[in-house]
Amino acid sequence: MTKTLVEQLADFTDRTEFGRLPEAVVDESKRLLLDSFGCAVGGVSHPKGRIGIEYGLVSGGSGGPATIVGTSRRSSVSGAAFANGELMNALDFDAVLPPGHVAPYVFPALLAVGEALGSTGKSVIAATALSHEMSYRFGKAMDYIRDATTGEISTSPVIGYTATIFGAAAAISKVQGVDRPVIANALGIAAAITPVNSHRSWMAHSPSATIKYTMAGPMAQAALTAAYSAQLGHRGDLQVLDDRKFGYPTFIGTTRWEPDVIAELDAKDTEWRFLGESSFKPYPHCRILHAPLDALIHLLAENDIKPEEIDAIRVWGEAWVMLPVWLNNDIAAVHDGQFSIAHGIAVGAHRITPGPAWQDPGVVFSPSVMELMKKVTYSPHPNYAAELGKHPSARPSLIEVDARGTTFNAERRFPKGSPSPEQDTYMTTEQIVEKFRVNVAGVLTSSAADEVIDAVLNLERLDDIGVVTRLLAAEPSMQSVGVAR
């Protein structure tokens, strides 16, 4: 009897074990964990992060088995998962992977359950790898956030990241140690309760909703619901991914459904593809602006150009972002600065160390930043579609800066943080460690930060993931510093 896609995914989840993972997959999983922890701690002073903490405590209460990172608070598995998801995504500094963001949707519930159960580092690494690979495969099977196959850039009317619920539910099931039928039911339930893909609506409106493209907190809780419901005896729809007429691809709204890329996970020896497109963010701003920011910051540093010397900045970059959320110049809230192209360029021009400081109100609403915004223009790069067609990481970008009576220019083909044919775009583990230190400064002590780094980079040696999550709990005195930052 032919297995359904859900059953094949359950098989993949069940057989994914630490001992079968390639060294590169183990290393990338640890890098993703460390980066995500840093982003979460860095988000404690951000409005979105604070709301996430407060609602996590409302929904999960205090004193539970799971840590709300960057704080001295603990909550239920559900409450901590909600809070930590919102914290990881608060700065928009978290790693990206097709279908878009993955880490803040798959990590929070996995880590909360893992801490409550005392899961080993090896099991968390295995769950991390399978959750990212599964999410990546769904991203490749469905509508892309950008499509250049026709030579023109297009965006489908329904797009989003909610298919990450499958990877999240699978990861939870993995650390719970349940058997294949239960995993299959969890995945079938996950399909039926998947939140809607509202990303396209968010892109089209300004001012943008502060919940962004998809709230991470509710996604984490939905995955928990699926995993625990199956464990408690609920039955999922095992045919939901195979039914093109009435099943998941129809009710989730994707016009493109190429499930062969998902079915390939049923192969005996997994080809781990997420490594090739796993990207880290060097700047706490929407990924679309990273190649221009990299070019701009290096150009200004090389020529020692100060913000007050700049007469104009012209940017050519991604062609599909001529939409309200990115063209917005009305910065009314801290959140608005994460996506406004003009604002991001203006902050970058001030050469502030990338991290939580970029979204400090004193920087976001700085008169110097607000004035420089007016001098920024943005246009689609004429070679964008052609370059994207050649390589999925390509983001051709050009910067021109008028200053001191001269026009300075710089170009980039690939953004920093992505694997690409240009070796220096790869973000090294040392650079991820430094990013982590910047994010946690003022919230964790330096000794706690050192201990977290060492523990995560040697995670396979830990018998209890709670060793790491508890290190990420700020002392009350340090927490107050972080909130005031």
Side-chain angles (χ1 to χ4, degrees), residues 30 128 144 174 228 230 247 256 274 311 345 386 392 395 424 428 442:
K30 293 188 291 187
T128 295
Y144 294 149
K174 188 66 186 178
Y228 277 101
R256 177 173 167 271
F274 83 93
D311 297 316
I345 290 293
R395 301 291 183 270
D424 62 351
T428 66

Side-chain angles (χ1 to χ4, degrees), residues 262-329:
I262 300 173
E264 289 169 359
L265 287 173
D266 199 37
K268 185 177 181 180
D269 295 315
T270 302
E271 180 184 352
W272 295 93
R273 297 186 186 175
F274 83 93
L275 298 176
E277 293 187 49
S278 179
S279 297
F280 295 88
K281 299 179 82 170
Y283 307 106
H285 196 283
C286 185
R287 185 65 171 156
I288 63 102
L289 203 58
H290 284 210
L293 279 170
D294 202 44
L296 173 70
I297 291 170
H298 282 80
L299 181 154
L300 298 182
E302 185 177 50
N303 295 281
D304 194 25
I305 300 173
K306 298 175 175 56
E308 61 270 20
E309 296 180 293
I310 297 173
D311 297 316
I313 303 177
R314 293 177 292 279
V315 184
W316 289 264
E318 297 211 35
W320 63 283
V321 298
M322 307 301 288
L323 293 165
V325 72
W326 290 289
L327 300 181
N328 173 45
N329 289 340

Side-chain angles (χ1 to χ4, degrees), residues 51-364:
I51 293 169
I53 294 168
E54 291 168 12
Y55 183 72
L57 292 168
V58 167
S59 66
S62 297
T67 302
I68 297 178
V69 302
T71 78
S72 59
R73 309 299 296 272
R74 298 178 66 80
S75 187
S76 70
V77 165
S78 179
F82 184 98
N84 291 336
E86 293 297 286
L87 285 166
M88 284 182 188
N89 188 239
L91 298 175
D92 216 71
F93 209 7
D94 46 289
V96 291
L97 172 76
H101 291 266
V102 170
Y105 304 128
V106 302
F107 275 142
L110 157 64
L111 294 166
V113 172
E115 182 177 8
L117 295 177
S119 299
T120 67
K122 289 181 178 179
S123 68
V124 170
I125 290 171
T128 295
L130 73 87
S131 66
H132 279 72
E133 186 65 29
M134 195 178 293
S135 298
Y136 172 81
R137 298 297 182 115
F138 271 92
K140 289 299 185 180
M142 300 167 69
D143 286 326
Y144 294 149
I145 194 170
R146 61 181 76 78
D147 195 350
T149 54
T150 63
E152 299 292 331
I153 303 300
S154 61
T155 301
S156 298
V158 180
I159 53 172
Y161 310 150
T162 63
T164 54
I165 192 173
F166 295 101
I172 297 165
S173 298
K174 188 66 186 178
V175 295
Q176 287 177 328
V178 299
D179 58 21
R180 293 187 192 194
V182 176
I183 299 170
N185 282 321
L187 295 172
I189 295 166
I193 65 172
T194 306
V196 298
N197 274 323
S198 58
H199 190 179
R200 189 62 181 83
S201 172
W202 171 82
M203 290 161 55
H205 303 139
S206 180
S208 65
T210 58
I211 62 172
K212 299 202 278 195
Y213 22 73
T214 295
M215 284 184 75
M219 281 290 298
Q221 291 183 329
L224 285 168
T225 298
Y228 277 101
S229 294
Q231 192 174 354
L232 293 169
H234 265 305
R235 182 171 61 201
D237 182 353
L238 304 188
Q239 301 172 66
V240 67
L241 297 180
D242 302 283
D243 186 345
R244 187 65 180 87
K245 185 175 182 181
F246 299 115
Y248 178 80
T250 295
F251 66 66
I252 204 64
T254 183
T255 57
R256 177 173 167 271
W257 183 241
E258 299 176 9
D260 285 353
V261 69
I262 300 173
E264 289 169 359
L265 287 173
D266 199 37
K268 185 177 181 180
D269 295 315
T270 302
E271 180 184 352
W272 295 93
R273 297 186 186 175
F274 83 93
L275 298 176
E277 293 187 49
S278 179
S279 297
F280 295 88
K281 299 179 82 170
Y283 307 106
H285 196 283
C286 185
R287 185 65 171 156
I288 63 102
L289 203 58
H290 284 210
L293 279 170
D294 202 44
L296 173 70
I297 291 170
H298 282 80
L299 181 154
L300 298 182
E302 185 177 50
N303 295 281
D304 194 25
I305 300 173
K306 298 175 175 56
E308 61 270 20
E309 296 180 293
I310 297 173
D311 297 316
I313 303 177
R314 293 177 292 279
V315 184
W316 289 264
E318 297 211 35
W320 63 283
V321 298
M322 307 301 288
L323 293 165
V325 72
W326 290 289
L327 300 181
N328 173 45
N329 289 340
D330 183 12
I331 309 301
V334 169
H335 160 88
D336 295 322
Q338 291 184 353
F339 304 99
S340 167
I341 290 172
H343 189 274
I345 290 293
V347 172
H350 283 72
R351 288 189 271 164
I352 299 165
T353 300
W358 272 42
Q359 291 171 37
D360 184 287
V363 171
V364 172

